[in-house]
Amino acid sequence: MISRELLNEVYPIDETTETYVGIQESTGRIMWFRKEYNDCISEINIHKVAHKCKEWAIKYSGWTLQSYTNERGSGICRIKVGDGQEINKLIASSEPEAIFKACEWIMENKCGS
């Protein structure tokens, strides 16, 4: 699942709004919460979060993410530099999970493009 740190990078908390995106502790689901009462308003589509993570990766590192599901149903995400050279490949149980793992790796290993 996505970490709080990465989620905050992708959906930064805007202090001027009445809502924020967070992880529901009991289920691990990604939800919109109302700030004042900390109650869940709605759930966010995991694929939308994964897409936002791909956009974040380009802005944050200059690297691109190429993701897909293989024939066995595993998610694969390849991290590539500007010339297309692969610098890492992450495998997870689903494509969104592989994207999250790739972004976590980028956060840990950020050294520019």
Side-chain angles (χ1 to χ4, degrees):
M1 182 43 70
I2 191 169
S3 72
R4 287 195 176 281
E5 294 79 16
L6 178 57
L7 186 59
N8 190 48
E9 289 286 328
V10 176
Y11 285 98
I13 294 176
D14 181 354
E15 297 300 328
T16 62
T17 64
E18 296 178 9
T19 62
Y20 71 96
V21 176
I23 302 170
Q24 186 179 44
E25 293 296 333
S26 59
T27 63
R29 292 166 28 202
I30 301 168
M31 320 280 278
W32 281 105
F33 289 94
R34 190 170 297 132
K35 277 187 184 178
E36 187 176 348
Y37 304 106
N38 202 30
D39 61 337
C40 173
I41 298 170
S42 65
E43 188 168 346
I44 301 175
N45 181 310
I46 197 78
H47 297 284
K48 181 178 180 180
V49 177
H51 180 75
K52 296 272 283 177
C53 284
K54 282 183 166 184
E55 292 173 343
W56 169 87
I58 293 170
K59 287 180 190 175
Y60 185 77
S61 67
W63 300 333
T64 58
L65 303 182
Q66 177 188 28
S67 63
Y68 57 95
T69 302
N70 69 9
E71 64 280 349
R72 289 183 237 135
S74 296
I76 309 291
C77 188
R78 297 173 187 274
I79 302 171
K80 296 186 175 190
V81 293
D83 65 359
Q85 178 185 1
E86 181 175 302
I87 57 173
N88 201 349
K89 175 175 136 182
L90 294 113
I91 302 170
S93 59
S94 68
E95 184 176 349
E97 186 68 27
I99 294 167
F100 300 152
K101 284 176 77 172
C103 288
E104 297 286 346
W105 184 88
I106 289 171
M107 283 177 64
E108 291 172 10
N109 296 281
K110 181 188 174 234
C111 57
S113 50

